[in-house]
Every structure is written in structure tokens, then in C-alpha cells.
């Protein structure tokens, strides 16, 4: 009887997990938004391809990701929000680039960025993708081979991409606000130590741990490890953390197969640019409906963002294998971080110790 009960419980859990994996969420997102997102990140690629500098276009395309932080609020609020996020994205990329020259400080810099960005996103109720692209940009910057004298050039390229995204967002807003009224600006959530400070510190520490493990394993270009860790640990509950991990591993596994097939094609600067714009459109159209399905396309897009400039210098199979290992490693660390983050016993002990380290005047 005990064995039968366990089997029924296991079968129920399997059906519940399958239900979560196959559920498609409703969304009122219009096709105009994915198209504008594709233009914001794709136009720099077209310009870079035209001037035969796809590597420059890829860096500016990273800045175009800031368009995704535009809220569905009145014009004044959405433009201030996206411009503030543009400043943050440039700052994170700059710090990531600088850390490239001092490998021992790479992990502390990433922890600092993760903590600070997560605090700001929670303090000002920044919606999805939250701190994800800030950390991804910093991680890619940290693993970008660059000379000291090239730092201002690369930072300038990303800044121009961010400004272009703000401009695309402005004209997109003028058009879309004629089709539907904006949502009201919600008041900021109450500031609590646990939500803003404690959670941010735990998330930042585990993101740093994931990078430290990658460095100990001597992984080359392990920028995807902390990104995968952050994507998993940000779940609102332990159940959400587990679901996000499962969605990410399944979606990334399928996405790596898609990436492998794409990398075998005779790609040039124009086909890469158009392909990345198409991937961005599909991702933004589907990510609010089914995360695992969107992850299938997120994976090749991210690989192209970080590796397109050096395609042909290595085996596609080796690149796919490395990214899969990075994803699994980041998800495992993120799962452990999520368990700690949502364990009440750990929270009580760690929060109490953390409060002792912070001066009381900063907690009032």
C-alpha cells in the first residue's frame, strides 16, 4: 500500500510538472512591440554589416536590449524609465569590461553589480526582465578580449546602441499609445529589508559563486553561467525556481540543437543580422506566453550576440557543448540559491547576521 501511495504521488507530481510545461499563458502583447524590439537591437547590426564591422554592430546591439525595459505607462514615465535603464546598462558593461583586465576581481565586481542592480530593480519595481540583461551585459563584457585603449570605443558603441533603442522606443510609443491607453503608474512597493536588501545580497552572492565555480573549472567564456544562475534564482517561490530551471534546461537543450544547425549554415554578416532580428521578434512574441519555447530561440540569439564576430574560428559542436555545460552548471547553482532564498530557517539566521553587520542608522 505504501508503494502504491508513493507511485500515485509521483505520478501526480509528474502530471503537474507536465501541465506547467505545456501551459500557454494569455497575453495582450501586440506584434508591434516585438517588431520594435527587433529594430532596436537589429538596426546596429545592419549598420555594422554595411561598414564591414559586424563586431561593432554586435556591441551596439547589446545596448538595444534596453528597449525591453520600457513599461506600458504614459509617455513621460516610460521614456524616463528606459533612459535610466540605458544608463545602468552602460555602467554595468563598463565595469564588466574593466574587470576583464584583473581576473581576480571579476567575481567581486559581478557580485557588486548583481546586488546593486537587483536592489534598484526591486526598489523601483522594474518589471521583467529585471536585472537579467544588466548581468548578462556585464558578463559578456568581462569575457570580451579587448585592449585598454579600446574600452572607450566599446563603451561608446554600446551607448549609441542604447540611445538608438530609446529613440525607437519614443516613436514606437507615439504610435502604440494611439492604439491603446497606457496603464497607470503604480505606486512603488513598500521598502523592506528582506525584499530589497537581503534577497539582493543572496542573489548576488550565488551569482558570484556560479562564476567562481566556472573559473575553478577553467571554463572558457563562461559568461552564460551567471546568467543562467540569475534566471533561475529570481523565481518568486521555490516552486517557481524549480519550474524556471526545468523550463530553462529543456528550452536551452532544444535551443542548442537549433544553434548547432544554424552554425552549420554558410552565414555571413547580412544573414547573421537578419537572423538575429528574426530571433528577437519570435522571442518577444512568445516569451510572455511560454518561457521554455522562447528559450529555444533565446539560446541561439545569445550565442550569436557573444560569438558571431568569431564564428569560423572553432568547431560549432565544441561551442554548443560548452554552452550546454554552462547552462546546467548555472541552473544547479541557481537552484541551490533558490532553496536557500526560500528556506525560512536560512532566512532567519542569515538575515539576523546581516543586520548585525549593517549600521542601525542605515536600516531606519
Amino acid at each position: 500500500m505504501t508503494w502504491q501511495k508513493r507511485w500515485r504521488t509521483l505520478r501526480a507530481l509528474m502530471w503537474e510538472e507536465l501541465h506547467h510545461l505545456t501551459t500557454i499563458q494569455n497575453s495582450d502583447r501586440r506584434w508591434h512591440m516585438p517588431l520594435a524590439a527587433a529594430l532596436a537591437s537589429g538596426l546596429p547590426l545592419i549598420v555594422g554589416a554595411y561598414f564591414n564591422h559586424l563586431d561593432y554592430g554586435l556591441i551596439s546591439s547589446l545596448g538595444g536590449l534596453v528597449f525591453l525595459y520600457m513599461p506600458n505607462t504614459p509617455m513621460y514615465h516610460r521614456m524616463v524609465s528606459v533612459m535610466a535603464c540605458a544608463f545602468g546598462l552602460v555602467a554595468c558593461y563598463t565595469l564588466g569590461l574593466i574587470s576583464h583586465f584583473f581576473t581576480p576581481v571579476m567575481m567581486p565586481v559581478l557580485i557588486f553589480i548583481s546586488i546593486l542592480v537587483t536592489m534598484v530593480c526591486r526598489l523601483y519595481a522594474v518589471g521583467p526582465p529585471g536585472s537579467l540583461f544588466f548581468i548578462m551585459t556585464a558578463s559578456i563584457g568581462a569575457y570580451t578580449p579587448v585592449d585598454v585603449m579600446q574600452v572607450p570605443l566599446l563603451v561608446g558603441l554600446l551607448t549609441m546602441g542604447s540611445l538608438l533603442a530609446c529613440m525607437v522606443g519614443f516613436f514606437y510609443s507615439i504610435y502604440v499609445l494611439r492604439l491603446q491607453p497606457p496603464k497607470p503608474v503604480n505606486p512603488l512597493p513598500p521598502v523592506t529589508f528582506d525584499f530589497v536588501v537581503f534577497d539582493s545580497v543572496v542573489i548576488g552572492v550565488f551569482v558570484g559563486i556560479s562564476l567562481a565555480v566556472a573559473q575553478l573549472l577553467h571554463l572558457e567564456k563562461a559568461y552564460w553561467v551567471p546568467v543562467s544562475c540569475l534566471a533561475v534564482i529570481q523565481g518568486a517561490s521555490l516552486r517557481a525556481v524549480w519550474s524556471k530551471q526545468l523550463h530553462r534546461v529543456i528550452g536551452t537543450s532544444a535551443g542548442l540543437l537549433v544553434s548547432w544547425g544554424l552554425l552549420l549554415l554558410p552565414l555571413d554578416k547580412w544573414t547573421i543580422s537578419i537572423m538575429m532580428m528574426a530571433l528577437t521578434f519570435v522571442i518577444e512574441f512568445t516569451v510572455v506566453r511560454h518561457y521554455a519555447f522562447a528559450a529555444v530561440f533565446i539560446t541561439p540569439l545569445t550565442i550569436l550576440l557573444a560569438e558571431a564576430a568569431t564564428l569560423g574560428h572553432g568547431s560549432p559542436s565544441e561551442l554548443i557543448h560548452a554552452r550546454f555545460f554552462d547552462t546546467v552548471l548555472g541552473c544547479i547553482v541557481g537552484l541551490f540559491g533558490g532553496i536557500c532564498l526560500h528556506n525560512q530557517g536560512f532566512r532567519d539566521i542569515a538575515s539576523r547576521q546581516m543586520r548585525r553587520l549593517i549600521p542601525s542608522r542605515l536600516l531606519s
Side-chain angles (χ1 to χ4, degrees):
M1 189 57 126
T2 303
W3 180 85
Q4 291 178 340
K5 287 183 178 180
R6 289 178 179 176
W7 168 246
R8 283 197 296 268
T9 302
L10 178 60
R11 187 171 60 180
L13 289 173
M14 292 173 62
W15 278 110
E16 183 182 359
E17 204 60 55
L18 182 62
H19 174 72
H20 280 285
L21 284 172
T22 55
T23 299
I24 299 177
Q25 307 293 332
N26 293 323
S27 174
D28 60 352
R29 177 174 289 185
R30 297 172 178 264
W31 62 269
H32 309 87
M33 186 273 176
L35 178 61
L39 290 174
S41 61
L43 288 177
L45 297 172
I46 299 297
V47 175
Y50 178 79
F51 288 103
N52 202 30
H53 272 290
L54 184 61
D55 51 341
Y56 289 179
L58 289 167
I59 297 170
S60 292
S61 182
L62 276 175
L65 294 174
V66 78
F67 174 85
L68 303 178
Y69 287 93
M70 180 173 292
N72 296 324
T73 50
M75 177 68 84
Y76 74 91
H77 184 264
R78 62 170 61 198
M79 292 311 301
V80 168
S81 298
V82 76
M83 286 190 289
C85 289
F87 172 80
L89 201 72
V90 172
C92 291
Y93 182 71
T94 304
L95 289 175
L97 275 178
I98 294 173
S99 71
H100 172 78
F101 302 106
F102 310 100
T103 304
V105 305
M106 191 180 293
M107 183 188 70
V109 167
L110 191 62
I111 291 176
F112 169 76
I113 294 174
S114 301
I115 293 174
L116 185 61
V117 169
T118 305
M119 282 184 180
V120 173
C121 288
R122 293 194 169 208
L123 184 64
Y124 290 100
V126 177
S131 58
L132 182 64
F133 287 140
F134 297 100
I135 307 305
M136 186 182 80
T137 304
S139 299
I140 291 177
Y143 283 94
T144 299
V146 61
D147 296 326
V148 175
M149 298 305 295
Q150 290 181 299
V151 171
L153 170 63
L154 300 189
V155 173
L157 288 169
L158 187 126
T159 303
M160 288 192 293
S162 299
L163 292 175
L164 176 62
C166 292
M167 187 171 67
V168 171
F170 176 75
F171 288 107
Y172 161 77
S173 299
I174 291 177
Y175 176 76
V176 79
L177 288 176
R178 296 174 59 190
L179 303 179
Q180 61 186 34
K183 295 181 180 179
V185 180
N186 295 323
L188 295 178
V191 178
T192 63
F193 176 84
D194 284 347
F195 181 71
V196 176
V197 179
F198 177 78
D199 287 4
S200 301
V201 171
V202 173
I203 290 172
V205 168
F206 273 94
V207 169
I209 290 174
S210 69
L211 181 61
V213 174
Q215 290 177 335
L216 289 175
L217 295 176
H218 302 288
L219 300 183
E220 186 179 1
K221 293 186 177 180
Y223 59 88
W224 199 233
V225 176
V227 175
S228 298
C229 175
L230 180 67
V232 170
I233 199 175
Q234 284 189 131
S237 63
L238 187 57
R239 171 66 187 174
V241 170
W242 168 255
S243 295
K244 202 69 172 289
Q245 183 206 35
L246 194 61
H247 277 239
R248 191 164 191 83
V249 171
I250 293 175
T252 301
S253 301
L256 288 172
L257 293 177
V258 174
S259 303
W260 181 72
L262 294 176
L263 293 176
L264 292 177
L265 298 175
L267 301 176
D268 60 17
K269 57 186 180 181
W270 295 108
T271 55
I272 289 175
S273 302
I274 295 172
M275 185 185 302
M276 291 179 68
M277 293 178 70
L279 288 171
T280 302
F281 179 87
V282 174
I283 290 167
E284 293 310 313
F285 189 80
T286 59
V287 70
V288 291
R289 295 171 171 86
H290 196 279
Y291 181 79
F293 182 79
V296 175
F297 303 96
I298 292 173
T299 304
L301 177 64
T302 309
I303 289 176
L304 289 173
L305 269 175
E307 308 286 350
T310 58
L311 288 181
H313 297 172
S315 169
S317 298
E318 293 179 0
L319 177 61
I320 298 303
H321 180 269
R323 295 296 81 81
F324 178 75
F325 186 80
D326 293 346
T327 300
V328 173
L329 178 60
C331 287
I332 291 174
V333 177
L335 179 61
F336 279 108
I339 292 173
C340 293
L341 194 62
H342 299 287
N343 181 278
Q344 193 58 48
F346 173 83
R347 293 183 67 89
D348 292 340
I349 296 173
S351 179
R352 187 163 52 248
Q353 297 301 322
M354 194 180 298
R355 288 174 182 270
R356 291 178 179 177
L357 296 175
I358 301 176
S360 56
R361 65 179 181 275
L362 297 179
L363 298 176
S364 56

